[in-house]
Amino acid sequence: MIVRLLAGLTLWAAAFSLIYAMEGAACALEWHQLSFGPLNAARTLLVGLWILSLLALAYLSWSFWPRARMGGTLDRVAFGAALAGLAAAAYTGMPTATLSLCL
């Protein structure tokens, strides 16, 4: 049960760390200067990682829903934590798609 309680926020923390570590690596390797038409390699990588993390957290939340609906308090808390991880990923990953990289 403790694994389900921690899964959503742990997945968000791992995704957050990976995305921003890759931003540092992409800037250090100057991937933001590699262009593919209107896109550059750094932004494509970061937005792709962000979307993958959103999909993983959405699936996790969806898979917790049946237990939360019929289960006890801990199942509902696990579902809420998974939704909180999804919301946190949506909010903290958005700058990779909207703000300038490698200042």
Side-chain angles (χ1 to χ4, degrees), residues 21-76:
M22 289 307 298
E23 182 176 8
C27 290
L29 297 171
E30 298 183 355
W31 289 354
H32 61 285
Q33 295 178 356
L34 298 173
S35 295
F36 307 111
L39 305 173
N40 66 48
R43 180 145 345 252
T44 303
L45 172 69
L46 296 174
V47 170
L49 288 172
W50 179 48
I51 290 170
L52 282 175
S53 70
L54 290 174
L55 289 173
L57 283 158
Y59 176 76
L60 186 69
S61 299
W62 176 76
S63 68
F64 284 0
W65 171 243
R67 291 187 88 141
R69 193 177 49 178
M70 293 197 235
T73 302
L74 290 179
D75 290 318
R76 286 191 291 273

